[in-house]
Amino acid sequence: MPPARTRPVTPLDDDDYPAYTMGRAAEMLGTTPAFLRSLGEHRLINPLRSEGGHRRYSRYQLRIAARARELVDKGTPIEAACRIVILEDQLEEAQRINEQLRAQGRTDPCTS
């Protein structure tokens, strides 16, 4: 059993907290701000906006963007890369929910 947290949770502990500016996010991913904007245009990620209207990205969004960049770097068109990443994310979520249901003792309808 993991030890209990001894310090309070901060926004930086939250994968969904919009901690990174567009410039910093692009730098971390080794890409351009235009690439990040294009991911938004293709509805892969939707960054939050600061009070001044600047895009802010979370760690989760950066992981998604990094996966899309990996596919694009291998020659996948950006539209297809975005769709692949969306489907991968949906599959991962469905598998997580399935595992939770199994842990609760519910049966898998596919095997009944």
Side-chain angles (χ1 to χ4, degrees), residues 43-95:
R43 298 186 177 135
L44 179 62
I45 55 177
N46 183 24
L48 292 176
R49 299 282 182 148
S50 68
E51 288 184 21
H54 300 282
R55 290 174 178 90
R56 306 285 294 189
Y57 297 88
S58 69
R59 288 188 306 211
Y60 172 76
Q61 289 172 325
L62 295 184
R63 284 195 300 273
I64 295 291
R67 175 66 178 132
R69 179 172 185 242
E70 179 183 311
L71 291 168
V72 169
D73 286 350
K74 290 180 179 178
T76 306
I78 193 164
E79 299 86 4
C82 289
R83 186 68 183 137
I84 289 167
V85 173
I86 288 167
L87 290 170
E88 288 175 341
D89 195 49
Q90 289 172 343
L91 176 60
E92 184 178 317
E93 177 68 8
Q95 289 172 330

Side-chain angles (χ1 to χ4, degrees), residues 28 31 41 47 64 74 82 95 106 112:
M28 291 171 68
T31 190
E41 291 167 9
I64 295 291
K74 290 180 179 178
C82 289
Q95 289 172 330
R106 298 184 184 173
S112 298

